Amino acid sequence: MFVTTFSHASFTWSDFFMWSNVSVKVMLKFVVRRPPKATESLKIGTIQIHSENGVDPANNSKPSSPSSGSIFTPDSTVKSSTPTTSSGNLSSRASTSSSPIPTITNNNHKEGAVYKDGPVYKDRPVHKDDPGHYVVQHKDSTEHGDHAVVKDGAATSRPLQRTHKLHHHHHPSSKHSRFVQLPDAVIARVFSFLPTKSLCRCSAVCRRWHRLAYQPRLWAAIELSGRHTDVDRGLQVLTHRLSQETPYVCLTVQRVTLNRCGRLTDLGLMALATKCPELTHLELRGCSRITNEAIFKVVSQCSSLDHLDVSGCKQLNCMNLPADDTMNPERSTFLRQKINLRFLDMSDCPLLDDEGLRTIATNCPALVNVYLRKCDLISDIGVQYLAAHCMMLREVSMSDCPRVTDLGLREFSKLENHLRYLSIAKCEFVTDIGVNLLAKRCSKLRYLNARGCVYLTDKSLEALSRGCTKLRSLDVGKCPSITDRGLGLVVEHCPSLRKLSLKGCLYITDRTIRLLAAKCPELQQLNIQDCEQVTREGYRLLKKCCKKCIIEHTNPSFY
């Protein structure tokens, strides 16, 4: 509590107001910036003296500095060095050391206290426990004054620099933040749901968050993207930071996604392969700067890698794997023992040819899922190598590979009951012969995409209805020779059918639609775009019987 007195015996309050016509207005506002130490009380007091007309009482002129008063140390007694005259005028401003000013006494302040001035913020009430500034100042003042520092009982006055931000904003590390009061285990659990970029931002908040955010167990998956992101640098920093507890390697990183990172090079990928030997899942879609050397480093160093997606990497072909066992049989055997790839996507890799596919198939016999869309250089020879060395294949996509013909389908038919998924879309030289061979030997086929195979007829559908009765998805769009007869056989013998695409099949009528409504009530998706003979009645019947079915069409009368 402040006690304001005058030390001069002949100087009273009534004389002060009568002689100088000066009003003294004092307002207390308390904001604590940080908890005071045991030997320090961080409190700030302000008292300012204004004349009623804003004119300096001493020289009848307005003040030249933005300061409108002085702040005095309560523990020290500051007296006027110039006695008052009969006229009652003060000889100088209160901010000078020789001014006749009142004594301000407060025994609560201790040595080392700093007292500052600052503007009043009326719109934000300050809580008593809020760690901000501890301000004592005029209610109507918006100017910055002087401040005094107490050292060894003496008050020294010097100008106060303008402070623009006196409000305290709660930092996440503040002791008053409820989130920070949570234990480390709970905060780490929250961090585990954040993506990579958000986790990196959290690590820059404070030291505690930095320590918690870089716990290795939170970095089982790393996901970065962006054509302008310096991924090489980011990978080097992350792997270095995460390998501090286990020198040289980071054993927790298992899944890395770097899709469409235009600046990713072999340097960053090799650092990843060296530091993360337990990597199991790697996606590099659209990383056009990656070469065979880096991919070879990854597959040879990361023995647990089973998922590799390098679609759109234009410089890849054989991944620098050994092409012939006779050249170095020991090295080839060693690599086959280490490479456990089960998923490989090399779609849109224009340099991949039959020899490259042979090299990959020879060194990766455990492949189960292979996607080779838009690999124009692959022919039936490459398919033969793939089917001969990878006997466990379940899903294969050869879409947009125009060199694949019926001979390639014959090789795939040798996989027999292992094959579940096959896409030969836009393989224009595939005919009924190849589909017939496939249907006879692959009885567990679930998915067949033959869109754009213009030479297919109802004979292919008849063979599928006899041999692939567990078919769940069939796409024969843009096969102009398909009619209601062939589709009727498929619908009759394949009750598990869930997805059917008939886009551009001009000979499809309401007969097929009525049969679907009767035999396939669990149908989920149907594409009848450009099927001009399907009427509005057939559409409504199908919607009524197959309530879960999503129908794609181009007929405006259906709406």
Side-chain angles (χ1 to χ4, degrees):
M1 179 176 180
F2 285 86
V3 180
T4 307
T5 62
F6 284 98
S7 58
H8 248 281
S10 61
F11 195 73
T12 64
W13 278 106
S14 58
D15 295 334
F16 181 83
F17 285 105
M18 177 180 65
W19 293 339
S20 62
N21 194 23
V22 175
S23 63
V24 179
K25 299 178 180 179
V26 180
M27 183 190 73
L28 302 181
K29 184 177 182 181
F30 305 100
V31 184
V32 179
R33 185 172 184 81
R34 58 179 172 82
K37 298 180 181 178
T39 58
E40 178 183 10
S41 178
L42 184 59
K43 296 182 179 180
I44 302 170
T46 304
I47 181 169
Q48 295 179 341
I49 302 176
H50 292 276
S51 63
E52 291 183 353
N53 56 2
V55 180
D56 192 327
N59 52 15
N60 199 26
S61 62
K62 292 186 177 181
S64 57
S65 67
S67 176
S68 60
S70 298
I71 306 170
F72 302 97
T73 307
D75 289 345
S76 61
T77 302
V78 184
K79 299 182 180 181
S80 172
S81 58
T82 305
T84 55
T85 60
S86 58
S87 60
N89 293 331
L90 300 177
S91 60
S92 62
R93 286 181 52 83
S95 60
T96 60
S97 59
S98 60
S99 302
I101 53 179
T103 301
I104 302 176
T105 304
N106 186 355
N107 296 327
N108 293 330
H109 293 271
K110 299 179 180 181
E111 181 178 347
V114 181
Y115 305 91
K116 298 183 180 179
D117 193 2
V120 175
Y121 294 91
K122 300 179 181 180
D123 56 345
R124 181 174 182 251
V126 182
H127 192 271
K128 63 179 181 179
D129 295 329
D130 189 12
H133 297 278
Y134 194 97
V135 180
V136 181
Q137 69 179 91
H138 286 293
K139 181 177 181 181
D140 299 328
S141 173
T142 58
E143 298 291 331
H144 294 269
D146 298 337
H147 74 279
V149 181
V150 179
K151 290 184 179 180
D152 299 329
T156 60
S157 178
R158 59 175 180 267
L160 172 68
Q161 295 182 353
R162 182 177 295 272
T163 303
H164 295 282
K165 296 181 179 180
L166 289 182
H167 280 297
H168 176 77
H169 300 279
H170 282 293
H171 195 273
S173 62
S174 170
K175 68 175 183 179
H176 298 276
S177 174
R178 294 184 177 180
F179 184 81
V180 174
Q181 294 176 3
L182 297 174
D184 290 353
V186 176
I187 297 179
R189 176 63 175 169
V190 174
F191 285 173
S192 66
F193 295 97
L194 298 179
T196 302
K197 289 186 177 180
S198 299
L199 198 56
C200 291
R201 294 190 183 101
C202 289
S203 67
V205 172
C206 62
R207 292 182 179 179
R208 185 190 181 198
W209 283 27
H210 184 274
R211 173 176 55 83
L212 294 176
Y214 278 108
Q215 290 184 4
R217 63 188 181 89
L218 299 181
W219 294 88
I222 297 176
E223 182 175 356
L224 298 175
S225 61
R227 296 189 178 275
H228 303 290
T229 304
D230 191 357
V231 183
D232 289 349
R233 176 62 178 168
L235 288 176
Q236 291 175 359
V237 172
L238 278 177
T239 54
H240 175 73
R241 180 64 181 84
L242 297 175
S243 60
Q244 290 184 356
E245 296 184 2
T246 54
Y248 306 113
V249 293
C250 179
L251 302 178
T252 58
V253 177
Q254 298 181 355
R255 183 186 182 98
V256 176
T257 304
L258 305 173
N259 296 329
R260 293 175 294 278
C261 293
R263 297 181 62 182
L264 177 64
T265 64
D266 291 351
L267 184 63
L269 199 56
M270 288 181 178
L272 179 68
T274 303
K275 292 286 188 177
C276 305
E278 298 298 322
L279 193 65
T280 61
H281 185 108
L282 179 61
E283 295 184 18
L284 304 171
R285 289 198 298 268
C287 299
S288 56
R289 296 187 180 185
I290 298 300
T291 66
N292 292 316
E293 184 179 357
I295 298 299
F296 175 76
K297 181 77 171 180
V298 170
V299 297
S300 60
Q301 292 286 334
C302 304
S303 58
S304 301
L305 186 68
D306 67 349
H307 184 111
L308 179 61
D309 186 350
V310 290
S311 57
C313 297
K314 306 294 184 180
Q315 301 185 44
L316 299 184
N317 50 17
C318 65
M319 300 189 294
N320 272 12
L321 297 173
D324 193 353
D325 292 350
T326 59
M327 299 296 294
N328 193 342
E330 295 182 359
R331 181 169 181 262
S332 300
T333 305
F334 172 73
L335 286 175
R336 280 198 296 271
Q337 291 175 352
K338 291 193 65 177
I339 297 178
N340 296 312
L341 275 179
R342 295 172 56 86
F343 180 102
L344 177 63
D345 191 346
M346 293 190 69
S347 300
D348 198 18
C349 293
L351 298 182
L352 180 62
D353 55 6
D354 292 336
E355 287 299 321
L357 186 57
R358 176 189 177 186
T359 302
I360 294 172
T362 303
N363 291 277
C364 305
L367 283 173
V368 176
N369 303 70
V370 177
Y371 302 91
L372 304 173
R373 295 180 291 266
K374 296 183 179 180
C375 295
D376 298 338
L377 300 180
I378 294 179
S379 66
D380 295 331
I381 299 175
V383 173
Q384 182 181 4
Y385 293 140
L386 183 64
H389 292 90
C390 303
M391 299 299 297
M392 303 300 294
L393 283 175
R394 292 170 60 92
E395 296 187 11
V396 181
S397 177
M398 306 297 297
S399 301
D400 294 280
C401 295
R403 298 188 180 187
V404 176
T405 66
D406 292 336
L407 296 177
L409 290 188
R410 185 186 67 178
E411 299 299 325
F412 283 134
S413 67
K414 296 178 182 180
L415 298 173
E416 297 182 349
N417 292 335
H418 293 291
L419 189 63
R420 304 296 178 87
Y421 174 109
L422 179 63
S423 178
I424 51 174
K426 298 182 181 180
C427 294
E428 299 177 353
F429 295 103
V430 171
T431 66
D432 295 334
I433 298 174
V435 175
N436 190 19
L437 292 171
L438 191 70
K440 285 182 179 180
R441 305 182 67 176
C442 300
S443 59
K444 293 186 177 181
L445 190 67
R446 301 289 189 272
Y447 177 98
L448 178 62
N449 183 0
R451 174 177 293 194
C453 297
V454 295
Y455 294 113
L456 296 185
T457 66
D458 290 339
K459 293 182 179 180
S460 297
L461 299 183
E462 183 179 356
L464 290 172
S465 66
R466 291 195 306 264
C468 303
T469 57
K470 296 182 179 181
L471 201 64
R472 296 175 61 89
S473 178
L474 177 63
D475 189 345
V476 288
K478 297 184 179 181
C479 297
S481 300
I482 298 296
T483 66
D484 290 335
R485 176 180 169 274
L487 284 172
L489 294 173
V490 172
V491 174
E492 285 281 354
H493 296 89
C494 301
S496 300
L497 198 63
R498 296 293 182 268
K499 297 181 180 180
L500 179 62
S501 178
L502 307 173
K503 181 179 181 179
C505 295
L506 303 178
Y507 298 107
I508 300 300
T509 65
D510 286 346
R511 177 186 171 185
T512 299
I513 302 302
R514 289 193 295 269
L515 198 58
L516 283 171
K519 299 292 184 177
C520 301
E522 300 298 325
L523 190 66
Q524 298 176 359
Q525 187 173 346
L526 176 65
N527 189 338
I528 52 174
Q529 295 180 2
D530 301 322
C531 296
E532 299 177 355
Q533 298 191 42
V534 177
T535 64
R536 185 177 181 180
E537 288 73 17
Y539 171 79
R540 289 185 173 180
L541 177 62
L542 188 64
K543 289 291 291 184
K544 180 179 179 181
C545 297
C546 303
K547 297 182 179 180
K548 298 180 181 180
C549 184
I550 299 175
I551 304 177
E552 301 178 52
H553 62 86
T554 55
N555 193 334
S557 65
F558 291 174
Y559 294 102

